[in-house]
Amino acid sequence: MIPRQRVGWTGLWGAALAASFSPLRVQLLFAIVAIGIIGMAHGASDLEVVKRERQLPFLTSYGLVIIVCLIWWHCDPTLALPGFLLASAIHFAVEDAPQGHLAERLARGVSMIAAPATLHLSEFRTILHQAGLFSALPDAAALAIAVAGGVCAISLIIAGVIRHDLRLTGGMLALLLLPAFVGFSMGFLIMHALPQTRQRRDRLGCTGYIGYLHATWPVLTAAIMLAAVTTFMMLPADKTGIQSLFAALAALAVPHMLITPWFESRHHE
């Protein structure tokens, strides 16, 4: 019998390849499912890793940051978008290789955000423009991002080959080769979300992903509802849906990146 994990990865890669040869709207849909549903599961256990006596201030802080993010994105997306991307790069650098050398951690953070621009620069610039940048990304800045992403991704691919690290090699190749939306989605899942979900699952003592989802489904459901409401509220002014996706992701990701580490029980034991 073929292991379920192999079937899951085969299906995921198949969907990614199919989306890669589809219009941008299909690629956006793939990103919504991959990042907003599958990837969101690793943050759904944030409440479970906070001690019970700290959960009320945690939820209060978490909610306030969500509100601030949504207001900020609505009022000034030109500033909110670069801030979100920078915070994401730092988060990936810190979380994805906690024991790694500083150079590797920096390369991981940069490549997660910038590598999709290396071979798909025009699409990358279009996405950023539709996500909230009122003016097009300057040529010099776009080229710098593309080069930095390519250099970091290639260096990590070489490191992955030397270490026989299929996750690192596969994640970087996805970021580099696949179209921007699809590449980031796959890189995010391979390099960050799925390993983090596995760690959280083991930490909570769940025997499998079904048990993990059973333990976290109220928060995961609330997160999906918040993302849906955010998208619905922004749709009249967002014909492509890209800005809505980024706003919803920021509202859910920023408190996960900034608030959870301060309240996580392992930092207070």
Side-chain angles (χ1 to χ4, degrees), residues 26-155:
V26 177
Q27 296 178 24
L28 174 62
L29 178 61
F30 178 85
I32 291 173
V33 174
I35 302 172
I37 298 179
I38 301 174
M40 195 185 296
H42 81 285
S45 58
D46 282 358
L47 184 62
E48 300 297 325
V49 299
V50 176
K51 290 183 177 180
R52 187 173 298 275
E53 63 270 18
R54 296 177 58 83
Q55 288 184 350
L56 182 58
F58 168 76
L59 289 172
T60 302
S61 302
Y62 213 93
L64 286 174
V65 172
I66 289 176
I67 293 172
V68 169
C69 282
L70 290 175
I71 293 175
W72 189 15
W73 207 283
H74 176 74
C75 295
D76 193 1
T78 303
L79 185 59
L81 177 59
F84 173 50
L85 295 178
L86 177 60
S88 299
I90 294 173
H91 179 68
F92 296 139
V94 171
E95 295 289 334
D96 291 350
Q99 307 302 323
H101 191 276
L102 178 61
E104 178 182 344
R105 299 173 77 176
L106 289 174
R108 284 174 178 259
V110 171
S111 60
M112 284 289 291
I113 302 301
T118 304
L119 299 179
H120 305 279
L121 184 55
S122 177
E123 180 186 343
F124 184 84
R125 296 177 69 175
T126 298
I127 289 172
L128 290 187
H129 179 61
Q130 294 180 349
L133 292 182
F134 291 144
S135 59
L137 192 66
D139 291 341
L143 182 60
I145 291 172
V147 171
V151 170
C152 290
I154 291 172
S155 66

Side-chain angles (χ1 to χ4, degrees), residues 246-264:
F246 273 81
L249 289 177
L252 295 170
V254 171
H256 168 73
M257 295 187 291
L258 300 183
I259 301 301
T260 302
W262 288 100
F263 284 87
E264 200 168 355

Side-chain angles (χ1 to χ4, degrees), residues 1-18:
M1 181 179 294
I2 301 176
R4 290 183 180 180
Q5 187 175 15
R6 183 178 299 178
V7 173
W9 278 111
T10 301
L12 185 60
W13 276 108
L17 291 175

